[in-house]
């Protein structure tokens, strides 16, 4: 699938766009702007209740209720690599009343690691806006000597101890797994990937010495780091993390190619008229600017974020250009 298909015109969308004068008028008029764009906004989440993506969805629902929509509700449809949620999105009315809050990997990674994905992000979805970003952290446990204090020293230790170079992740083809593969692909390290069903089991394996290294969101590691049970050697944002300001980034350690973040974004079905997509993106931008949302996300180790639909499309295409060849060459498959 070419990376730039997300940026190409969609005939069905263009047809609907041409007939969306009522929505455009709603956006243009001052009195219309004061009214909610939809009566009920359904926010689909492919994650289970209580999970971080679910919490993010509910925080946005609070901010969008009474503003962009008369009310906003979260509809959890977990499982099957997003297939259940995207099928619900496909069946929803194309009137802008349903959005999918999903991990960016549904468009940047899943098409390459799942042989039977069941949907085509370039055909079935249109990007709306970023919602949140979450830097990752690279941590080592008791299997790694205390003398290892940075990424270069870790790679050297793994090279000298191939039998101990076990690297865990919260799943095959997850963004942490891809970060690890990107880190080690040119390091001449004979490492072994160990997949776990989520971040918590991977952390337990790290603390127990079953694996030496793991990459996970910072918030998942923070409590154990404070207790001195693990050490974080690097974070993956473009600069030092506000969550772990004393930990140097990969960039600071000479690896500018390792700016890798997990992120959540809003998507709509490709049938939804462009003016409604833009109205929703604008509502997200307004919500992100509110300090209460930023504070709630900081507690999760996340940064509230927003974008235009075009900027989100460009980000997806750029990440596809990184992940597709890495996944292909490494032979990473989740099915």
């Amino acid at each position: 699938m070419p990376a730039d298909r997300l940026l190409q015109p969609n005939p069905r969308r263009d047809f609907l766009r041409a007939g969306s004068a009522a929505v455009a008028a709603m956006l243009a008029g001052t009195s219309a702007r004061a009214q909610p764009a939809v009566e009920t906004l359904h926010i689909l989440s492919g994650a289970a209740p209580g999970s971080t993506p679910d919490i993010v969805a509910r925080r946005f629902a609070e901010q969008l209720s009474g503003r962009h929509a008369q009310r906003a509700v979260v509809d959890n449809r977990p499982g099957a690599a997003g297939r259940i949620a995207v099928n619900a999105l496909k069946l929803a009315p194309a009137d802008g009343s349903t959005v999918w809050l999903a991990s960016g990997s549904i468009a940047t990674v899943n098409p390459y690691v799942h042989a039977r994905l069941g949907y085509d992000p370039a055909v079935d979805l249109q990007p709306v806006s970023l919602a949140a970003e979450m830097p990752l952290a690279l941590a080592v446990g008791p299997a790694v000597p205390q003398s290892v204090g940075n990424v270069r020293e870790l790679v050297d230790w793994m090279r000298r101890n191939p039998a101990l170079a076990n690297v865990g992740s919260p799943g095959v083809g997850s963004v942490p797994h891809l970060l690890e593969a990107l880190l080690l692909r040119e390091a001449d390290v004979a490492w072994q990937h160990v997949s776990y069903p989520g971040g918590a089991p991977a952390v337990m394996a790290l603390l127990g010495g079953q694996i030496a290294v793991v990459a996970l969101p910072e918030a998942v590691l923070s409590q154990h780091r404070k207790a001195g049970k693990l050490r974080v050697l690097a974070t993956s944002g473009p600069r030092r993390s506000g969550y772990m300001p004393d930990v140097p980034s990969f960039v600071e350690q000479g690896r500018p190619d390792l700016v890798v973040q997990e992120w959540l974004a809003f998507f709509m079905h490709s049938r939804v008229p462009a003016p409604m997509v833009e109205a929703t993106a604008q509502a997200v931008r307004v919500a992100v600017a509110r300090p209460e949302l930023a504070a709630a996300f900081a507690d999760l180790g996340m940064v509230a974020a927003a974008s235009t639909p075009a900027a989100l499309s460009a980000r997806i295409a750029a990440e596809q250009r990184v992940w597709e060849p890495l996944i292909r060459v490494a032979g990473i498959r989740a099915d």
Side-chain angles (χ1 to χ4, degrees), residues 43-160:
I43 303 177
L44 294 169
S45 172
S51 64
T52 296
D54 172 69
I55 295 172
V56 171
R58 293 181 188 280
R59 293 294 177 268
F60 268 107
E62 293 169 358
Q63 294 298 321
L64 297 175
S65 290
R67 297 179 175 100
H68 178 65
Q70 291 184 21
R71 68 187 187 113
V73 297
V74 176
D75 185 356
N76 297 94
R77 303 292 183 99
R83 297 180 185 92
I84 297 173
V86 78
N87 284 338
L89 186 68
K90 287 181 180 181
L91 295 172
D95 58 1
S97 63
T98 304
V99 295
W100 182 20
L101 179 68
S103 166
S105 61
I106 62 100
T108 62
V109 175
N110 288 6
Y112 308 113
V113 301
H114 292 277
R116 298 175 298 277
L117 188 59
Y119 65 92
D120 184 344
V123 173
D124 298 319
L125 305 175
Q126 56 179 324
V128 177
S129 172
L130 276 174
E133 296 177 312
M134 181 166 43
L136 302 175
L138 187 76
V140 297
V144 178
Q146 289 287 332
S147 58
V148 173
N150 56 46
V151 172
R152 179 184 57 78
E153 292 172 352
L154 174 64
V155 170
D156 290 342
W157 177 84
M158 294 175 72
R159 192 178 294 120
R160 296 192 306 269

Side-chain angles (χ1 to χ4, degrees), residues 78-307:
R83 297 180 185 92
I84 297 173
V86 78
N87 284 338
L89 186 68
K90 287 181 180 181
L91 295 172
D95 58 1
S97 63
T98 304
V99 295
W100 182 20
L101 179 68
S103 166
S105 61
I106 62 100
T108 62
V109 175
N110 288 6
Y112 308 113
V113 301
H114 292 277
R116 298 175 298 277
L117 188 59
Y119 65 92
D120 184 344
V123 173
D124 298 319
L125 305 175
Q126 56 179 324
V128 177
S129 172
L130 276 174
E133 296 177 312
M134 181 166 43
L136 302 175
L138 187 76
V140 297
V144 178
Q146 289 287 332
S147 58
V148 173
N150 56 46
V151 172
R152 179 184 57 78
E153 292 172 352
L154 174 64
V155 170
D156 290 342
W157 177 84
M158 294 175 72
R159 192 178 294 120
R160 296 192 306 269
N161 299 274
L164 300 178
N166 300 311
V167 182
S169 82
V172 174
S174 63
V175 174
H177 179 199
L178 298 183
L179 170 63
E180 295 159 356
L182 200 59
L183 168 65
L184 298 170
R185 68 175 175 176
E186 297 176 359
D188 192 27
V189 174
W191 63 293
Q192 296 81 42
H193 174 244
V194 185
S195 175
Y196 293 91
V203 171
M204 291 301 102
L206 183 76
L207 299 181
Q210 287 84 39
I211 56 176
V213 186
V214 72
L216 286 170
E218 297 168 332
V220 178
L221 300 168
S222 178
Q223 179 181 354
H224 300 289
R225 178 178 181 250
K226 290 177 181 177
K229 296 180 179 179
L230 56 80
R231 290 173 288 134
V232 174
L233 302 186
T235 56
S236 68
R239 60 191 65 84
R240 288 206 182 197
S241 165
Y243 208 68
M244 295 182 177
D246 57 326
V247 178
S249 66
F250 283 109
V251 174
E252 290 179 81
Q253 299 185 58
R255 293 298 303 267
D257 58 315
L258 294 179
V259 176
V260 175
Q261 300 187 85
E262 288 205 87
W263 47 273
L264 297 170
F266 289 103
F267 296 85
M268 284 180 167
H269 195 272
S270 57
R271 300 189 313 265
V272 177
M276 182 56 77
V277 174
E278 294 287 352
T280 306
Q282 174 61 22
V284 172
R285 290 193 289 274
V286 171
V288 164
R290 297 192 183 103
E292 58 267 32
L293 191 66
F297 285 7
D299 292 339
L300 301 171
M302 307 183 78
V303 177
S307 70

